[in-house]
């Protein structure tokens, strides 16, 4: 812990709140503890047991993101909302960029496009860190071509073709590895490390990598998902939100199937969320890691330096 | 067989193209993706360097290597020569293999050398090393702000430049982190 960094952290959190308050967003304080957390295949919630006075017990988990609650709030009629609070993810590396408990700002706004979402994300980041160069926007397809020389278009959904490209790029290919896994081997070796210092939005992901995003109407093999990278760190992940309940159920079922095949626990689909979805309206939202923004502002090398009490001193 | 979670700097992976020493590695969890280990590996036969990424659930073939404490003897146009103080065996590593870490080596100091069948693969420095400040200006000139702290640039023995707090004076010993090249604290 570095006292200067903690002071910077406090100031940044205030700046973020001011940015959204000034734009007419309403701050939500969604619950941290829920019955049915997000079930993304590679995120692990922290489970707990909640007891009532009469001894009735409920299983609950700390949220990995406030997404389900935020979408229910949109469905209840709110238009511009944000949630700034801790989120929890189990089984992450304690490596200088992760902590089991981290601070996230997640905001949603009705009626905006993915480009407007990127505009607002850039403006918010600049409201905290004003001397950044202009952000660049690259589709995942453009980035794979520019940095890895890989034409994604002809590989979409074709695991064998992706496996052949992996072998050419000296990546291992193993039974049971999905198209997404093989994509990530090339992406992590040849694209992500080369994005460089210019803040970069990567957007338009293969639809298999975006369970809660709307398909691109121009090419439904891609989804309207965006990630922001600054200084080599992944800062934010957002979507134009999927609102079609039939499509959403199919994608949740695919995720459950993937969890099952990985030997992971599977829990029921949140039916209250499913009921709310058709009333949500067109909206876009993004989750942004505040701790990593604080690291960029302060120049801290490790997330432990900007945490009041880092993970290594808690457990 | 081993897991990518066992990857460390200096371990040797065998695949159909031969033996590869891990030069750099990093655990990565991409948003919405599985856990991976990103590596930079160097082929021991051809010297070719590649970036490759393993999913942590796969199995890899790690070959066993020896870790030996050796003394740094000298640097010349063949590279850096080290000696095993027990057996007096000597090994030489090229400037390219040692890379930027060469600037920390001082005659007679002890380092860890990873060897495979007698061949040196990787050198590991002590993480913290003491250096004497050979040139330091008084505070004011050369001051910069780094991470919210006021610092100045000084020169240490061997010619390296490093940013230190303003109170450090010429002739003092300071501790440098050899992984980051950054000042840690004043040596007592």
């Amino acid at each position: 812990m570095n006292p200067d960094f903690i002071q910077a952290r406090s100031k940044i959190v205030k700046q973020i709140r001011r940015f959204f308050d000034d734009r007419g967003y309403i701050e939500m304080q969604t619950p941290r503890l829920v019955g049915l957390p997000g079930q993304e295949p590679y995120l692990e919630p922290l489970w707990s047991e909640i007891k009532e006075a009469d001894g009735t017990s409920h299983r609950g988990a700390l949220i990995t993101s406030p997404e389900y609650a935020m979408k229910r709030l949109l469905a209840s009629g709110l238009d511009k909302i944000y949630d700034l609070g801790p989120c929890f993810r189990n089984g992450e590396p304690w490596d200088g960029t992760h902590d089991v408990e981290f601070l996230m700002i997640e905001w949603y706004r009705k009626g905006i496009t993915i480009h407007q979402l990127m505009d607002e994300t850039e403006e918010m980041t600049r409201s905290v860190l004003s001397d950044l160069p202009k952000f660049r926007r690259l589709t995942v397809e453009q980035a794979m071509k520019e940095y890895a020389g890989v034409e994604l278009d002809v590989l979409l959904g074709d695991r064998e073709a992706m496996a052949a490209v992996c072998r050419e790029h000296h990546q291992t290919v193993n039974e049971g590895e999905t198209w997404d896994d093989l994509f990530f081997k090339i992406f992590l070796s040849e694209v992500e490390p080369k994005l460089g210092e210019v803040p970069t939005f990567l957007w338009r992901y293969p639809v298999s990598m975006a369970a809660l995003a709307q398909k691109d109407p121009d090419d439904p093999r891609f989804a309207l998902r965006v990630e922001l990278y600054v200084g080599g760190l992944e800062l934010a992940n957002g979507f134009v939100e999927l609102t079609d309940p039939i499509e959403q159920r199919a994608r949740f079922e695919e995720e459950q199937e993937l969890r099952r095949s990985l030997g992971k626990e599977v829990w029921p689909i949140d039916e209250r969320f499913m009921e709310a979805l058709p009333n949500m309206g067109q909206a876009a939202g993004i989750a942004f890691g505040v701790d990593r923004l604080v690291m960029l502002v302060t120049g801290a090398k490790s997330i432990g330096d900007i945490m009041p009490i880092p993970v290594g001193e808690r457990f | 067989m081993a897991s990518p979670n066992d990857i460390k700097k200096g371990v040797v992976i065998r695949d159909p193209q031969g033996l590869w020493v891990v030069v750099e590695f990093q655990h990565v969890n991409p948003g919405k993706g599985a856990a991976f280990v990103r590596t930079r590996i160097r082929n021991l036969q051809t010297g070719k360097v590649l970036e490759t990424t393993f999913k942590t659930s796969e199995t890899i073939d790690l070959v066993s290597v020896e870790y030996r404490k050796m003394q740094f003897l000298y640097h010349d146009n063949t590279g850096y020569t080290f000696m095993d103080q027990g057996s007096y065996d000597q090994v030489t590593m090229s400037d390219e293999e040692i890379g930027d870490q060469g600037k920390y080596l001082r005659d007679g100091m002890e380092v860890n050398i990873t060897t495979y069948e007698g061949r040196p693969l990787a050198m590991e420095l002590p993480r913290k090393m003491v250096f004497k400040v050979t040139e330091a200006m008084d505070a004011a000139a050369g001051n910069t702000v780094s991470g919210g702290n006021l610092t100045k640039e000084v020169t240490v023995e061997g010619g390296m430049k490093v940013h230190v707090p303003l109170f450090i004076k010429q002739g003092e010993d300071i501790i440098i982190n050899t992984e980051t090249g950054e000042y840690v604290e004043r040596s007592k």
Side-chain angles (χ1 to χ4, degrees):
Chain A
M1 193 274 271
N2 175 324
D4 293 342
F5 293 174
I6 298 298
Q7 215 171 343
R9 179 191 180 89
S10 160
K11 192 175 145 203
I12 291 163
V13 168
K14 286 196 183 85
Q15 284 170 320
I16 294 172
R17 282 210 165 89
R18 190 176 317 127
F19 177 86
F20 289 105
D21 294 343
D22 287 352
R23 289 181 172 221
Y25 278 78
I26 307 172
E27 180 168 4
M28 298 290 118
Q29 274 154 354
T30 65
R32 301 299 102 178
L33 194 54
V34 297
L36 294 168
Q39 52 162 4
E40 287 179 33
Y42 298 106
L43 295 184
E44 289 313 314
L46 272 151
W47 289 97
S48 186
E49 192 191 357
I50 299 103
K51 281 187 185 139
E52 293 184 49
D54 65 4
T56 313
S57 114
H58 307 269
R59 212 161 167 246
L62 291 167
I63 54 166
T64 57
S65 111
E67 182 154 8
Y68 293 178
M70 292 293 271
K71 288 183 176 175
R72 282 170 67 181
L73 291 162
L74 288 174
S76 74
L78 295 164
D79 292 336
K80 292 165 84 176
I81 53 177
Y82 73 92
D83 183 287
L84 201 167
C87 292
F88 303 82
R89 292 178 187 176
N90 214 351
E92 305 261 326
W94 294 1
D95 63 353
T97 55
H98 295 85
D99 189 307
V100 58
E101 173 174 351
F102 58 99
L103 194 59
M104 195 136 88
I105 165 79
E106 191 161 314
W107 72 95
Y108 290 82
R109 181 170 185 168
K110 279 194 188 152
I112 57 167
T113 64
I114 194 152
H115 283 287
Q116 288 170 311
L117 179 66
M118 288 190 251
D119 290 342
E120 197 158 59
T121 305
E122 178 167 352
E123 285 153 16
M124 192 284 277
T125 314
R126 278 185 193 289
S127 77
V128 172
L129 199 52
S130 56
D131 58 355
L132 287 170
K134 190 174 162 45
F135 290 19
R136 136 180 110 130
R137 296 177 189 191
L138 276 180
T139 63
V140 171
E141 207 178 353
Q142 287 167 338
M144 283 292 273
K145 184 156 195 308
E146 183 175 334
Y147 294 106
V150 171
E151 284 285 359
L152 208 53
D153 185 68
V154 295
L155 300 174
L156 287 170
D158 186 342
R159 186 194 177 272
E160 276 327 295
M162 189 49 123
V165 172
C166 266
R167 289 188 193 98
E168 280 166 34
H169 285 244
H170 200 94
Q171 301 290 348
T172 54
V173 174
N174 298 280
E175 224 174 283
E177 286 172 345
T178 62
W179 189 94
D180 291 4
D181 292 334
L182 299 175
F183 166 89
F184 273 126
K185 289 187 179 190
I186 293 178
F187 177 82
L188 293 172
S189 285
E190 299 184 42
V191 180
E192 195 195 77
K194 294 180 192 156
L195 292 173
E197 290 304 311
V198 178
T200 303
F201 287 111
L202 278 187
W203 68 286
R204 216 165 166 263
Y205 278 71
V207 78
S208 60
M209 297 182 179
L212 292 128
Q214 221 170 74
K215 286 177 180 167
D216 185 342
D218 296 335
D219 185 345
R221 297 173 306 159
F222 290 97
L224 296 175
R225 169 182 166 199
V226 58
E227 288 235 354
L228 172 62
Y229 288 88
V230 185
L233 282 175
E234 191 188 331
L235 280 190
N237 177 43
F239 309 123
V240 173
E241 305 297 340
L242 179 62
T243 53
D244 174 353
I246 297 167
E247 175 76 26
Q248 182 67 77
R249 189 174 294 278
R251 294 211 214 153
F252 277 155
E253 283 167 358
E254 277 169 36
E255 286 195 324
Q256 289 181 321
E257 200 40 57
L258 181 54
R259 287 192 72 92
R260 230 171 258 127
S261 74
L262 294 167
K264 293 182 175 181
E265 193 191 337
V266 175
W267 51 93
I269 292 173
D270 185 340
E271 295 298 339
R272 292 186 184 111
F273 169 76
M274 293 303 295
E275 266 169 43
L277 200 60
N279 306 320
M280 194 180 106
Q282 289 295 307
I286 192 161
F288 193 116
V290 176
D291 307 288
R292 291 184 179 180
L293 182 60
V294 177
M295 286 172 71
L296 280 175
V297 172
T298 57
K301 290 279 187 311
S302 167
I303 195 167
D305 298 336
I306 55 105
M307 287 292 193
I309 298 178
V311 69
E313 294 175 22
R314 306 202 298 270
F315 304 100
Chain B
M1 297 304 267
S3 152
N5 285 324
D6 301 324
I7 287 175
K8 287 193 286 277
K9 220 164 147 177
V11 301
V12 177
I13 298 168
R14 192 198 323 259
D15 78 0
Q17 277 83 50
L19 295 172
W20 302 82
V21 61
V22 173
V23 187
E24 282 171 33
F25 79 101
Q26 188 190 10
H27 287 267
V28 273
N29 279 33
K32 320 283 164 200
F36 295 88
V37 180
R38 174 161 57 203
T39 65
R40 176 191 282 268
I41 56 177
R42 192 180 68 239
N43 190 290
L44 292 179
Q45 285 84 31
T46 64
K48 189 177 177 188
V49 174
L50 286 176
E51 270 94 35
T52 189
T53 299
F54 299 97
K55 198 179 167 195
T56 52
S57 58
E58 62 186 286
T59 52
I60 54 172
D61 188 6
L62 289 184
V63 302
S64 63
V65 292
E66 260 189 283
Y67 299 94
R68 299 163 74 176
K69 275 208 183 320
M70 291 188 141
Q71 190 181 25
F72 172 54
L73 292 183
Y74 57 86
H75 176 238
D76 63 13
N77 56 14
T78 64
Y80 296 83
T81 298
F82 303 89
M83 184 180 70
D84 185 314
Q85 288 161 286
S87 65
Y88 303 109
D89 283 348
Q90 288 188 13
V91 298
T92 300
M93 294 178 75
S94 69
D95 289 1
E96 202 186 5
E97 286 170 321
I98 297 289
D100 194 40
Q101 302 247 288
K103 68 182 180 195
Y104 295 109
L105 285 169
R106 280 176 296 186
D107 293 354
M109 73 178 278
E110 206 174 64
V111 294
N112 286 316
I113 304 275
T114 310
T115 62
Y116 174 69
E117 292 175 345
R119 269 186 65 189
L121 302 179
M123 177 200 68
E124 195 190 334
L125 292 163
R127 209 164 71 81
K128 289 177 177 176
M129 285 178 65
V130 177
F131 285 86
K132 191 172 286 298
V133 176
T134 54
E135 252 184 86
M137 278 184 287
D138 287 335
N143 294 357
T144 50
V145 177
S146 135
N149 295 318
L150 210 50
T151 65
K152 62 178 178 182
E153 192 180 76
V154 298
T155 307
V156 299
E157 49 187 322
M160 251 188 304
K161 302 217 185 289
V162 58
H163 284 275
V164 300
L166 298 180
F167 58 78
I168 297 293
K169 294 187 191 70
Q170 193 164 316
E172 282 186 312
D173 287 336
I174 60 167
I175 296 174
I176 294 176
N177 179 331
T178 57
E179 283 169 11
T180 61
E182 287 170 2
Y183 166 87
V184 180
E185 60 186 347
R186 185 155 47 180
S187 176
K188 280 123 204 161

